[in-house]
Amino acid sequence: MRNLRNTLRVARPSPEGQSLSASGWDVGTNSIICTFGPTAKDPLVQLKRWHSSRTGEPDDLDDIASWDAPCPLPDLECDRILSLRHFSDSSITCLVLAGGDIVVVRESPSDGEEKIEIVGSVDVGITAAAWSPDEELLAITTRGDTLLFMTRDFDNVSNVALTEEDLKASKHVSVGWGKKETQFKGKGAKALRDPTMPEKVDEGIRSPLDDGSTTISWRGDGAYVAINSVQASQRRVIRVYSREGLLDGVSEPVDNLEGALSWRPTGNLLAGIQRFEERIEVVFFERNGLRHGEFPFRMSSDEMFVWASSISLEWNFDSSVLAVCFLDRVQLWTMGNYHYYLKQEIHFPPRSRSQMPVPLEWHPEQPFSFTVGCDDGPCRFEYASHVVSGPTTSPNDYGVVATVDGRYLNLTPFRVASVPPPMALQKIERRSNIVDSAIFAEGADTLIAVLEGLDLSIYWWDVRKKPIAAPCLLATVGLGPFLFQNFTRQVILLDKSKILVLASGQSGSMMHAFRIESSDMKHVRSIRSPAITGISTTATGLSATPYLHYASGEVSADPSIFDSERRSTANMKTALTAFPIQASEIKVMSIHSGSSNEHLLPAETGNETIAFGLTPNGSLIANKRRLTKDCTSFAVTPAHLIYTTTQHFLKLVHMTTVEELEVPPDTPEVDERCRSIERGARLVTVIPSISAVILQMPRGNLETIYPRALVLAEIRHNVDNKQYKKAFLACRSHRVDMNIIHDHAPEEFISNVTVFVDQVEKVEFIDLFLSQLREEDVSKTMYKDTIRRLEREDDLKGVRLAQKEQGYLASSKVNRICDAFLEVLRRRISTNLQNVITSHLCKNPPDLDAGLLEVAKLWKTSQDEAEKAVEHICFLADVNRLYDHALGLYNLDLSLLVAQQSQKVSEFNLAALSRLQELPPLRRNFTIDCLLGRHATALVHLHAMAEYCEFYKYMVKYDLYQQALQLCRYNEEHIKDIMRLYADYLSRGAKHKEAGIAYEYLTDYDSASEAYGLANLWIEALSCASLIPLEDERMGAFSRRIESSLLDLKDYHSAATLRLDYLHDLESAARLFCKGYFFADAIGILSLNKRPDLLDAIVDTGLAEGLGTMTELLAECKAQLNAQVPRLRELRIKKVEEPLAFYDGDANDGADIPDNVSLAPTDASTTGGSLFTRYTNHTGTVGTNATRRTSKNRKREERKRARGKKGSVYEEEYLVNSIGRLIDRVNSVGDEVGRLVVGLMRRGMRERAMAIQAAMTGVIELCKGCVEEVFESGKSGGQEGQNPADEEGKRLSGIDEPLWDGAETSQARREAPPIRDFEKLSILGG
């Protein structure tokens, strides 16, 4: 689908009286090395350098050297240069002459070296010579039928004789793929003939026009070389030799094979020429000599003998173009989908003194650059590969692509018909080969300009009318009077009436402006300008301003070309940008800066115009900013810059100002702007209106894809413009989650539900949208907008804040949308009843009752419609649930209607429904609720029927006490009965506090006191016991029982209070206060009761016991910290330095075992496996896995984790948890230590008080010093490594589950517990 467009044609006239004999490239300076002479009259050879200027002005030829080269062979009229190769690394030029001399010319000879030196001679003469692509080996064929291989130092490597014995080297067996002789022709037709043998076998008859020449061609990698020569004047043979001079293959006999030969650099085919009486074909051979396809030239029988009598072939270095050289012209052919296209035909003046084809030399590094040698001097050509396509702005983006193929222009509108090449939807046939074409589309008019050598034609094509007819010719104009021996290069359509033709000649470039008037074209003016490489308009096709591309890299706009009143346009040109190097493909886009990036419409009044250029080295440049270095092709739309990369990605850049263009990363899995494509695919065209991108694969076949970014851009654009039907159909076609229609602009959508319903219209489509609703905001997750909408975010921030305050965003999105649809659809119940039902059932959770009520209403008016509605509602929800809900509506007709859609008819038959119908309404409702398990509602019906006996039984059976209390709240008698039953129920359920309250409410103090006592509420229990009232003996026993419960709970303060107030035991109360470290309370009650004599016996004794207990506890805490913190530090160092030993432990107990002995566990082993198997849970056998997953082993592993055995994988976790528990314990005893210190001071024990205070302070300081290290509060959770998960990232199970839990705990970095400060007494030096 790509064409070749000329970007440079520069010619240099030969010096007077001299003719060009050979030319070659100097890659280092990008110049051309030319030789002039020798001739029959003058043996002088002149070597010159031509620095071809890209400005179009001819440069002078710089002399390098000159010498006389008389021909040593008498049968040659004059010597002839067979090969010219310049070595840029050493500035040496090597020439091989037919007379046998090999001449080396040094531009900068060293001391002792000659400038011109004959480094070797072949006495018998040379027929052909060629250097290998790596310039390390020279292949020479001589007149003595020998092949010589020479190094770059001209040392002879091998000498091979070309003999008839070579023809026996290959035994060709062709299976005849694709040949008609291998096709099935019936059982009786030549049934016994070998299908691998063709009907006609070529004998290798020579062509009558064969000149007997020899041709040498190397493969692209230099490993093999092919020789096309005449063997014994009988037949032409192509021999293939290895680099070492070994014969690898010989071609099969081919009649009328001529001397042309060119090996495709990729190495798969060798191209030659076969001449028939009625046609000439390019034939291809494989390396083994077998034929492999062909294609014919397009010429008449007369032309075969006029300008096609001698032909040569040359592939360019990347194998994309085959140059076919004739006597007066050169044709450029490309291949796609196994079809060869004639892209360009370049005419030259016929060579007067030679019957050899035009010599052509491809540039070794630039694929579309070559030089041609003519009698009047060398010519340099540069071409660019490009696609001729229509505009990319909707609605004119029909995707029309024009492909040149000789005299035919293939046209395909990909928006209408995707026709694979080489076929096309329509073809335009011209009288001569086409040079260039252009397309312009606006509305119903699609204009196609076709440029030939001397003619310009305009066609009109209607691609909207079905079926699509062939294009109609509007006008044709001859360009001969305007060209003045110029060479036409490009045509461009600016609008419906303006056409520009670019031509070039000896004096630079010429632009010819034409205007279309009715069915005629008129020439407006011609403008001369140097060094124009091309012309373009904006990529959208909506601009009439031409943009001129100059060889210097500058791109300028010239809007005054069609202004015939102006003679000079120099002042009207506006420089847009200047690329650092010339771009081979340039596209221009005008945008509005600062506006929305979506579907940006270009305009001449745009704030910024961007020129995108693709350089030959793959750099994609926007004005002067380089976007990427790996671009292979690109296209521009109003919303996106789309390009392909050498890493086989398709990338989309949102169109905005140059500074804000954001190139997406190579992450197609997370970024919608990047997509993986087939290797080597390149862009053909983009059709934004259908979100389509057309790609062409390297083989030539096409692929249409729909990038997610384009699809979403189109959907968002339609939603913004309230074109909901287009957005819906796009979601439906491209399988996009339809939630984006709401989530992209939720407020606008909710307020325009009526518009959505009116546009979508179809009931099925509305149901489809409602059924796909879900709570997720897809605009923030799977379809996150990649456009920087800073202004829009600022505008929406205040709106979202207000909505959040109103609870808008907190409510269910699905329910909010369904309610909005219900509000609209209820007014259209006659046409959208199905949608109303769907709206109810698509809520979260589904509102089944509301949907069934809609069916019940419809049943009263139209039973047929109701049955259809029931079928629909049963399709949306579970039929069994629907039946239960229908029965719960107490509508037996509706229940029967739903039951018919399920298997419920067999379970609840008509007789059962009839029995329900015969019951009174309340009893029927109660029975239905019982069947459905709706016990609370059934209890309501029993209360309404005043069946209180049954009411109480039903309440007790289903624990409906609260509902019963609510129903009987105005009947005190029933309230007490229910409360009694409720209190008993609470007491049985161990809810003693609530049971006690209920009993006390019923003034049952005996039961209340028992319940309070079980709840350890001693004040309430004793107060209720006092209200019974109890006897003193029973009261004392009851009090002692409660005191025992409080002591079990270690609530010494409450126990002491009870002992003092109810049992009146002062001494026991004081001892209990001291036991709980409440020394102040103990001293207080003894003082109050005037018993100071008990202070020494009770308080001092309690202080001593408390001091001893607390001192021992603090000493243990200190010792534990001093032991566990260093061990934890040691484990973590080992974990980092030796992770294998840390996780797997020392299985060999430190034994020194040789490393050549396998220690892998056997299949019968039930150990934890290696470091890797214990984490992946795969030890190799099913039996082992089954054993390790048993509950017994899992519990054993859990016990190991709980013990935290030293050296095990669980030790670190155990130590961290142990220290955490220690800190919690220290925090809990802080108040007790404080009361102990105060008590000791009050009793005059200052030294003891200082000691315990110092011990407490020391422990707290130790805790504060180690807490950061132990709990690693300064590190993030991801620094320690990853969780030991298996290869699929699943949670481990079985015996490894405790290990997983432990690793998770370690990774989670348990939060460090807070350490309470200890308030010291200042009088103790605190």
Side-chain angles (χ1 to χ4, degrees):
M1 305 301 289
R2 305 184 74 86
N3 301 317
L4 294 178
R5 176 177 290 169
N6 182 266
T7 59
L8 178 68
R9 175 172 178 168
V10 182
R12 177 61 173 89
S14 300
E16 184 177 356
Q18 300 179 3
S19 62
L20 182 70
S21 56
S23 61
W25 288 94
D26 181 359
V27 180
T29 60
N30 201 25
S31 58
I32 300 173
I33 306 297
C34 306
T35 58
F36 298 91
T39 62
K41 299 180 180 180
D42 187 1
L44 180 66
V45 178
Q46 298 184 18
L47 186 66
K48 298 177 180 292
R49 181 188 300 274
W50 177 33
H51 294 279
S52 57
S53 173
R54 301 186 62 85
T55 62
E57 300 294 336
D59 292 340
D60 292 334
L61 295 171
D62 299 333
D63 292 331
I64 298 177
S66 62
W67 69 96
D68 288 335
C71 182
L73 300 179
D75 58 339
L76 291 179
E77 182 181 4
C78 64
D79 213 342
R80 182 165 58 91
I81 299 175
L82 300 178
S83 171
L84 186 152
R85 175 60 68 97
H86 180 82
F87 303 104
S88 301
D89 55 349
S90 58
S91 299
I92 295 177
T93 303
C94 178
L95 296 90
V96 180
L97 283 73
D101 292 338
I102 302 174
V103 181
V104 170
V105 179
R106 302 179 179 90
E107 294 189 45
S108 301
S110 303
D111 294 339
E113 292 182 340
E114 297 181 2
K115 186 178 183 66
I116 304 173
E117 180 182 2
I118 300 177
V119 295
S121 296
V122 179
D123 295 338
V124 296
I126 299 174
T127 56
W131 283 91
S132 63
D134 59 1
E135 299 180 342
E136 294 296 332
L137 210 59
L138 173 64
I140 297 175
T141 57
T142 69
R143 291 191 171 196
D145 290 336
T146 58
L147 172 64
L148 306 178
F149 286 96
M150 304 179 70
T151 65
R152 188 164 171 175
D153 296 329
F154 303 101
D155 297 329
N156 195 2
V157 176
S158 60
N159 191 336
V160 182
L162 308 179
T163 65
E164 291 188 6
E165 295 297 322
D166 297 341
L167 306 184
K168 303 177 182 179
S170 296
K171 297 181 180 180
H172 303 111
V173 178
S174 174
V175 296
W177 295 117
K179 299 294 185 179
K180 65 178 182 179
E181 54 264 23
T182 62
Q183 306 304 312
F184 180 71
K185 299 179 181 179
K187 294 182 179 180
K190 306 176 183 178
L192 300 178
R193 188 180 62 82
D194 186 356
T196 64
M197 297 299 297
E199 295 179 357
K200 178 181 179 301
V201 179
D202 286 354
E203 301 176 0
I205 300 174
R206 292 182 60 185
S207 169
L209 297 181
D210 190 349
D211 56 2
S213 61
T214 301
T215 308
I216 302 177
S217 182
W218 286 86
R219 200 171 74 172
D221 59 358
Y224 294 92
V225 64
I227 316 295
N228 185 353
S229 62
V230 178
Q231 180 62 43
S233 302
Q234 294 179 358
R235 57 166 282 198
R236 273 209 170 267
V237 180
I238 299 177
R239 296 177 173 87
V240 178
Y241 289 90
S242 68
R243 193 180 180 89
E244 291 75 22
L246 301 177
L247 183 64
D248 185 74
V250 179
S251 65
E252 62 177 289
V254 177
D255 292 344
N256 300 313
L257 184 66
E258 296 190 351
L261 179 67
S262 182
W263 201 328
R264 195 178 187 192
T266 54
N268 56 343
L269 295 175
L270 295 94
I273 295 295
Q274 184 179 18
R275 186 182 297 270
F276 297 93
E277 294 182 359
E278 70 285 354
R279 71 184 187 278
I280 302 175
E281 290 184 348
V282 176
V283 293
F284 297 104
F285 296 87
E286 298 177 9
R287 198 187 81 189
N288 58 12
L290 289 175
R291 285 281 301 274
H292 189 98
E294 64 281 322
F295 73 90
F297 290 129
R298 302 162 189 175
M299 60 183 68
S300 64
S301 300
D302 296 336
E303 292 173 334
M304 290 172 54
F305 300 95
V306 177
W307 49 265
S309 59
S310 181
I311 305 173
S312 65
L313 302 174
E314 292 291 342
W315 285 101
N316 68 337
F317 88 91
D318 68 350
S319 305
S320 60
V321 181
L322 175 63
V324 182
C325 303
F326 301 96
L327 295 179
D328 63 346
R329 68 195 65 192
V330 173
Q331 292 182 351
L332 303 180
W333 294 77
T334 64
M335 191 269 286
N337 241 12
Y338 305 106
H339 174 79
Y340 280 83
Y341 298 84
L342 175 57
K343 293 299 181 182
Q344 291 285 341
E345 184 178 64
I346 312 167
H347 292 263
F348 300 95
R351 307 184 72 187
S352 58
R353 294 182 297 275
S354 175
Q355 289 301 314
M356 298 182 64
V358 177
L360 181 144
E361 286 289 334
W362 285 102
H363 195 289
E365 296 179 355
Q366 300 175 10
F368 302 118
S369 180
F370 59 88
T371 178
V372 175
C374 304
D375 282 347
D376 55 353
C379 294
R380 178 178 177 178
F381 292 84
E382 287 187 8
Y383 283 82
S385 175
H386 76 110
V387 177
V388 177
S389 60
T392 57
T393 301
S394 179
N396 301 321
D397 55 338
Y398 293 101
V400 180
V401 176
T403 306
V404 175
D405 188 10
R407 295 186 298 112
Y408 297 93
L409 185 68
N410 299 336
L411 298 171
T412 300
F414 285 98
R415 181 174 165 183
V416 180
S418 183
V419 181
M423 298 180 291
L425 187 65
Q426 293 291 345
K427 290 188 178 183
I428 295 176
E429 183 179 1
R430 298 301 303 163
R431 291 173 295 181
S432 59
N433 292 325
I434 297 172
V435 175
D436 193 24
S437 61
I439 300 172
F440 176 83
E442 184 177 358
D445 299 326
T446 298
L447 298 181
I448 303 167
V450 182
L451 178 64
E452 303 167 67
L454 297 175
D455 291 324
L456 173 63
S457 303
I458 301 297
Y459 287 81
W460 176 83
W461 195 23
D462 187 359
V463 296
R464 299 193 302 179
K465 185 178 180 181
K466 303 293 180 65
I468 299 178
C472 300
L473 180 63
L474 291 182
T476 300
V477 62
L479 301 178
F482 314 109
L483 291 180
F484 306 109
Q485 297 182 348
N486 286 340
F487 170 75
T488 55
R489 291 163 43 190
Q490 182 185 356
V491 62
I492 186 169
L493 281 164
L494 300 180
D495 56 23
K496 292 183 178 180
S497 60
K498 298 177 182 179
I499 307 175
L500 275 181
V501 176
L502 178 63
S504 62
Q506 295 289 344
S507 58
S509 301
M510 288 286 293
M511 290 185 294
H512 305 282
F514 294 88
R515 191 182 299 275
I516 304 175
E517 296 180 357
S518 298
S519 59
D520 192 13
M521 277 190 295
K522 294 185 178 180
H523 180 258
V524 177
R525 61 187 307 190
S526 297
I527 304 172
R528 186 179 303 278
S529 179
I532 295 180
T533 60
I535 308 174
S536 65
T537 61
T538 55
T540 55
L542 297 180
S543 172
T545 300
Y547 293 89
L548 311 181
H549 315 157
Y550 293 93
S552 61
E554 179 184 345
V555 179
S556 299
D558 192 351
S560 62
I561 290 180
F562 282 83
D563 191 353
S564 59
E565 296 180 0
R566 298 179 182 267
R567 299 300 180 186
S568 176
T569 61
N571 296 331
M572 298 300 296
K573 294 180 182 178
T574 303
L576 177 59
T577 186
F579 296 124
I581 59 175
Q582 182 187 356
S584 58
E585 187 175 0
I586 297 175
K587 295 181 181 180
V588 182
M589 173 63 66
S590 297
I591 68 169
H592 294 285
S593 60
S595 62
S596 172
N597 301 76
E598 294 288 333
H599 284 72
L600 198 62
L601 291 178
E604 289 302 310
T605 58
N607 299 72
E608 183 171 2
T609 301
I610 305 176
F612 297 95
L614 177 60
T615 63
N617 61 3
S619 294
L620 181 60
I621 304 174
N623 286 352
K624 295 184 179 181
R625 178 192 171 192
R626 186 172 68 179
L627 301 178
T628 183
K629 298 185 294 183
D630 58 351
C631 179
T632 58
S633 62
F634 78 101
V636 178
T637 71
H640 295 94
L641 163 67
I642 307 172
Y643 67 94
T644 57
T645 71
T646 55
Q647 300 300 318
H648 321 300
F649 291 117
L650 177 73
K651 294 190 176 183
L652 295 93
V653 180
H654 296 294
M655 191 64 68
T656 179
T657 58
V658 173
E659 294 76 13
E660 296 179 355
L661 289 172
E662 182 181 4
V663 177
D666 296 345
T667 54
E669 62 277 358
V670 297
D671 198 328
E672 67 179 26
R673 298 170 297 171
C674 181
R675 170 175 175 156
S676 298
I677 56 176
E678 187 175 331
R679 181 182 297 270
R682 293 200 293 174
L683 278 167
V684 175
T685 188
V686 182
I687 312 174
S689 60
I690 61 173
S691 307
V693 172
I694 313 298
L695 297 172
Q696 187 168 28
M697 306 304 115
R699 186 172 66 86
N701 55 307
L702 299 180
E703 180 178 340
T704 302
I705 64 173
Y706 299 88
R708 187 64 75 190
L710 282 183
V711 173
L712 294 177
E714 182 70 19
I715 292 172
R716 294 184 185 114
H717 172 67
N718 292 331
V719 171
D720 290 337
N721 292 338
K722 298 182 178 58
Q723 297 177 342
Y724 294 114
K725 184 173 183 179
K726 290 184 178 180
F728 173 84
L729 293 177
C731 292
R732 182 169 175 263
S733 300
H734 300 290
R735 302 181 65 84
V736 176
D737 195 317
M738 293 186 182
N739 284 271
I740 193 175
I741 300 177
H742 167 270
D743 296 342
H744 177 64
E747 302 84 10
E748 292 83 351
F749 180 82
I750 292 296
S751 59
N752 290 280
V753 171
T754 303
V755 179
F756 179 90
V757 174
D758 291 338
Q759 290 182 0
V760 176
E761 192 175 2
K762 285 188 177 182
V763 174
E764 297 81 5
F765 285 175
I766 298 175
D767 277 354
L768 178 61
F769 173 78
L770 292 172
S771 63
Q772 293 196 4
L773 293 175
R774 51 198 176 96
E775 297 295 343
E776 179 186 357
D777 187 350
V778 297
S779 66
K780 296 180 180 178
T781 54
M782 59 192 307
Y783 301 136
K784 186 176 181 180
D785 198 346
T786 53
I787 301 178
R788 297 175 176 175
R789 297 178 177 270
L790 300 180
E791 295 182 1
R792 180 174 180 181
E793 290 296 330
D794 293 338
D795 295 339
L796 292 179
K797 189 178 296 182
V799 177
R800 290 176 178 172
L801 182 60
Q803 291 175 345
K804 190 173 183 180
E805 292 176 355
Q806 299 172 4
Y808 181 82
L809 298 179
S811 61
S812 170
K813 180 191 84 172
V814 176
N815 293 348
R816 191 168 61 250
I817 298 174
C818 290
D819 290 337
F821 270 86
L822 286 172
E823 184 178 352
V824 174
L825 296 174
R826 282 197 180 99
R827 298 190 294 267
R828 312 181 186 192
I829 200 70
S830 59
T831 58
N832 294 88
L833 175 64
Q834 180 174 316
N835 299 139
V836 173
I837 296 174
T838 304
S839 300
H840 285 300
L841 269 68
C842 287
K843 286 186 175 183
N844 187 19
D847 193 354
L848 301 179
D849 291 343
L852 290 170
L853 288 175
E854 296 291 344
V855 177
K857 294 177 184 177
L858 186 63
W859 178 262
K860 298 177 182 179
T861 58
S862 176
Q863 296 185 0
D864 294 337
E865 294 294 331
E867 291 180 355
K868 294 180 180 178
V870 166
E871 291 181 3
H872 177 67
I873 198 173
C874 291
F875 171 76
L876 295 176
D878 181 23
V879 180
N880 298 325
R881 288 186 60 199
L882 281 174
Y883 177 82
D884 294 341
H885 280 265
L887 200 60
L889 294 175
Y890 315 118
N891 190 329
L892 300 183
D893 293 335
L894 181 61
S895 302
L896 180 60
L897 194 61
V898 174
Q900 291 174 352
Q901 302 294 327
S902 67
Q903 302 300 323
K904 291 292 185 179
V905 175
S906 60
E907 299 178 11
F908 303 96
N909 50 36
L910 296 177
L913 293 177
S914 299
R915 286 195 297 271
L916 286 175
Q917 186 69 35
E918 294 173 357
L919 296 175
L922 291 176
R923 177 59 65 177
R924 179 172 65 241
N925 295 349
F926 169 76
T927 306
I928 291 174
D929 288 334
C930 289
L931 291 173
L932 298 178
R934 294 159 41 172
H935 306 299
T937 310
L939 190 68
V940 174
H941 296 307
L942 282 177
H943 180 266
M945 290 186 292
E947 299 286 346
Y948 288 106
C949 292
E950 188 177 359
F951 179 84
Y952 291 149
K953 293 179 181 179
Y954 199 83
M955 175 193 68
V956 172
K957 182 178 180 181
Y958 295 107
D959 302 332
L960 302 174
Y961 302 101
Q962 294 182 4
Q963 292 84 349
L965 288 172
Q966 182 66 21
L967 291 172
C968 301
R969 59 185 178 277
Y970 300 119
N971 192 322
E972 189 64 26
E973 182 180 355
H974 294 311
I975 284 289
K976 290 184 178 181
D977 295 339
I978 296 171
M979 190 64 74
R980 171 67 63 179
L981 296 172
Y982 194 14
D984 295 340
Y985 166 76
L986 292 173
S987 182
R988 292 192 300 271
K991 297 181 180 179
H992 302 296
K993 178 181 177 179
E994 296 183 8
I997 294 172
Y999 285 128
E1000 192 172 2
Y1001 173 82
L1002 297 172
T1003 66
D1004 186 357
Y1005 298 115
D1006 193 359
S1007 300
S1009 61
E1010 291 293 333
Y1012 283 134
L1014 292 174
N1016 296 314
L1017 300 174
W1018 64 274
I1019 297 177
E1020 291 84 350
L1022 292 175
S1023 63
C1024 288
S1026 300
L1027 294 175
I1028 295 179
L1030 289 178
E1031 300 175 357
D1032 293 341
E1033 184 178 352
R1034 291 182 59 193
M1035 188 68 176
F1038 183 68
S1039 299
R1040 283 188 291 272
R1041 191 178 67 184
I1042 293 178
E1043 179 194 15
S1044 178
S1045 300
L1046 293 175
L1047 291 176
D1048 291 340
L1049 297 175
K1050 296 185 179 181
D1051 188 359
Y1052 298 110
H1053 194 280
S1054 298
T1057 304
L1058 185 150
R1059 171 71 67 172
L1060 180 65
D1061 294 343
Y1062 289 90
L1063 298 178
H1064 309 290
D1065 188 348
L1066 178 63
E1067 295 183 12
S1068 298
R1071 288 189 176 90
L1072 288 175
F1073 276 127
C1074 291
K1075 194 171 184 178
Y1077 294 88
F1078 298 101
F1079 300 104
D1081 294 324
I1083 296 173
I1085 61 173
L1086 292 177
S1087 302
L1088 181 64
N1089 290 276
K1090 303 184 184 302
R1091 294 295 306 272
D1093 56 307
L1094 296 177
L1095 291 176
D1096 294 338
I1098 296 178
V1099 176
D1100 291 350
T1101 302
L1103 286 171
E1105 293 177 355
L1107 178 63
T1109 302
M1110 199 59 67
T1111 301
E1112 183 180 358
L1113 173 64
L1114 295 178
E1116 291 177 355
C1117 292
K1118 185 176 181 179
Q1120 180 179 342
L1121 287 173
N1122 290 331
Q1124 290 183 340
V1125 172
R1127 175 58 180 169
L1128 182 62
R1129 187 182 303 119
E1130 178 186 351
L1131 283 175
R1132 287 178 173 166
I1133 294 175
K1134 183 178 180 181
K1135 181 179 181 180
V1136 174
E1137 295 178 351
E1138 302 179 24
L1140 183 65
F1142 175 81
Y1143 284 109
D1144 205 25
D1146 190 359
N1148 307 313
D1149 295 329
D1152 186 11
I1153 297 178
D1155 58 2
N1156 60 350
V1157 178
S1158 175
L1159 300 178
T1162 64
D1163 290 344
S1165 174
T1166 58
T1167 62
S1170 68
L1171 164 64
F1172 305 102
T1173 58
R1174 77 179 298 147
Y1175 284 168
T1176 60
N1177 205 23
H1178 295 294
T1179 57
T1181 62
V1182 177
T1184 302
N1185 286 333
T1187 303
R1188 295 172 67 247
R1189 291 177 183 271
T1190 61
S1191 176
K1192 179 179 178 180
N1193 289 340
R1194 183 170 62 251
K1195 290 180 179 179
R1196 183 176 61 187
E1197 196 74 14
E1198 289 174 353
R1199 289 194 297 271
K1200 287 182 181 180
R1201 179 188 177 194
R1203 288 197 302 268
K1205 182 181 177 181
K1206 186 175 181 179
S1208 69
V1209 73
Y1210 305 115
E1211 184 181 1
E1212 181 189 10
E1213 176 196 358
Y1214 175 81
L1215 292 176
V1216 172
N1217 294 336
S1218 177
I1219 296 173
R1221 291 190 297 269
L1222 182 146
I1223 293 175
D1224 294 337
R1225 178 60 176 150
V1226 172
N1227 288 336
S1228 65
V1229 301
D1231 293 338
E1232 297 178 358
V1233 174
R1235 295 195 296 269
L1236 177 61
V1237 171
V1238 173
L1240 290 170
M1241 285 298 296
R1242 290 181 65 183
R1243 297 299 298 162
M1245 304 176 188
R1246 185 174 180 274
E1247 295 298 329
R1248 296 181 181 181
M1250 290 180 62
I1252 193 63
Q1253 178 173 280
M1256 184 66 182
T1257 304
V1259 171
I1260 290 179
E1261 293 299 327
L1262 281 177
C1263 292
K1264 289 183 178 180
C1266 72
V1267 66
E1268 183 175 348
E1269 178 185 0
V1270 170
F1271 297 96
E1272 296 184 327
S1273 57
K1275 298 182 180 180
S1276 63
Q1279 292 181 352
E1280 193 68 25
Q1282 298 180 353
N1283 292 340
D1286 60 358
E1287 63 274 9
E1288 299 179 358
K1290 298 179 181 178
R1291 181 181 178 88
L1292 300 180
S1293 59
I1295 189 175
D1296 288 330
E1297 187 171 358
L1299 177 64
W1300 175 278
D1301 295 337
E1304 278 189 336
T1305 303
S1306 176
Q1307 296 294 329
R1309 302 284 179 224
R1310 173 183 166 181
E1311 184 178 354
I1315 302 176
R1316 293 177 56 187
D1317 291 331
F1318 177 68
E1319 185 178 355
K1320 297 184 290 184
L1321 285 179
S1322 59
I1323 59 177
L1324 292 176

